[in-house]
Amino acid sequence: MCGGNKDTECSSKNFLFSNAASWRLYSPENVNSKSVRVFYLVWRWFWTILFTTFLVLSGALPQTWYTDQSQRIKYFIYLTNWGYLTFCIAQIWNAATSTAGYFTQDMEVRWYMKINWFLYSLTSSPAVLISLLFWALIYSSSYPLEPDTFFTHGINCLFTLLDIWLTAMPIKILHFYVPASFAVVYVVFSVIYDYSNGTNALLRPYIYSVNSN
């Protein structure tokens, strides 16, 4: 995998998102199959609309995670919401890129394809890891199970795993810094927020409370 050949997985050209030989929406044998391309386009837009609709509804409907309306702005302090917001942005961009790919069948790596690849790398790992951390460390029997719990800590995770299996989007070892940067930025933010005596949406002196049961 990481031998001396310049075209190996660990080649420096795989560090960024410009390796034209790697990028593709479809596997080579299916790129000219209209039925596959139609299915992929429907797949992308169905989930994009579903996830984005839920995002909008979760912002409009009353929730139990805050004490009053003034605390709703604290939506943006939670790792779950960082992950879900970027996840939805990635899905919208991916659907738009897939639409362009469907109509143009362009195999040259365009700027919007590079952004799509970057967003895919940025959001795939957090979607899975945030869900695992939630159920392992945060959830308890007293935690209210609402639709957003399953969307942001379950359905998006399962979709990501299935999408990785279905798509031909390449996953490169040298792109590890992308999701790692996401984690580092959140850790820095949470430390600063904590030392600034910030409270969560329930006015408690922390963002998350780890379940010790």
Side-chain angles (χ1 to χ4, degrees):
M1 180 179 292
C2 293
N5 191 312
K6 65 179 181 179
D7 293 324
T8 61
E9 183 69 22
C10 296
S11 170
S12 59
K13 68 181 181 181
N14 286 325
F15 188 76
L16 298 178
F17 295 84
S18 57
N19 188 353
S22 297
W23 196 94
R24 59 190 185 276
L25 282 172
Y26 317 100
S27 57
E29 64 271 17
N30 289 327
V31 69
N32 294 318
S33 171
K34 185 175 182 179
S35 60
V36 170
R37 291 188 290 113
V38 168
F39 167 78
Y40 189 79
L41 190 61
V42 171
W43 166 267
R44 291 251 68 93
W45 278 109
F46 170 79
W47 288 104
T48 297
I49 292 171
L50 180 65
F51 287 126
T52 306
T53 299
F54 175 78
L55 177 65
V56 173
L57 290 177
S58 65
L61 298 177
Q63 303 286 335
T64 61
W65 56 266
Y66 54 86
T67 56
D68 56 63
Q69 289 294 327
S70 66
Q71 298 301 311
R72 295 191 74 166
I73 189 63
K74 292 181 180 177
Y75 175 93
F76 297 101
I77 71 173
Y78 294 100
L79 178 61
T80 289
N81 299 333
W82 280 39
Y84 194 73
L85 277 170
T86 54
F87 174 80
C88 286
I89 292 171
Q91 299 315 309
I92 294 170
W93 197 276
N94 202 334
T97 301
S98 300
T99 302
Y102 175 81
F103 287 107
T104 65
Q105 298 187 46
D106 190 356
M107 297 304 292
E108 183 177 346
V109 181
R110 306 294 183 181
W111 63 269
Y112 57 87
M113 297 177 181
K114 295 178 184 180
I115 295 175
N116 188 43
W117 194 1
F118 169 81
L119 289 173
Y120 196 87
S121 299
L122 176 69
T123 59
S124 295
S125 295
V128 175
L129 292 177
I130 290 172
S131 296
L132 294 177
L133 289 172
F134 171 80
W135 293 108
L137 300 178
I138 306 299
Y139 175 75
S140 67
S141 57
S142 61
Y143 196 97
L145 289 177
E146 298 179 334
D148 67 319
T149 303
F150 297 104
F151 259 89
T152 59
H153 302 109
I155 296 176
N156 62 330
C157 173
L158 294 176
F159 164 80
T160 297
L161 294 174
L162 183 57
D163 195 54
I164 290 173
W165 177 70
L166 282 175
T167 189
M169 190 77 72
I171 298 176
K172 297 297 182 181
I173 292 175
L174 290 184
H175 290 167
F176 73 92
Y177 67 91
V178 178
S181 298
F182 180 93
V184 169
V185 170
Y186 183 79
V187 168
V188 171
F189 161 77
S190 61
V191 169
I192 294 174
Y193 190 81
D194 182 62
Y195 275 92
S196 301
N197 297 317
T199 61
N200 65 17
L202 296 175
L203 300 179
R204 293 167 183 163
Y206 48 77
I207 297 178
Y208 285 105
S209 175
V210 176
N211 176 29
S212 59
N213 295 330

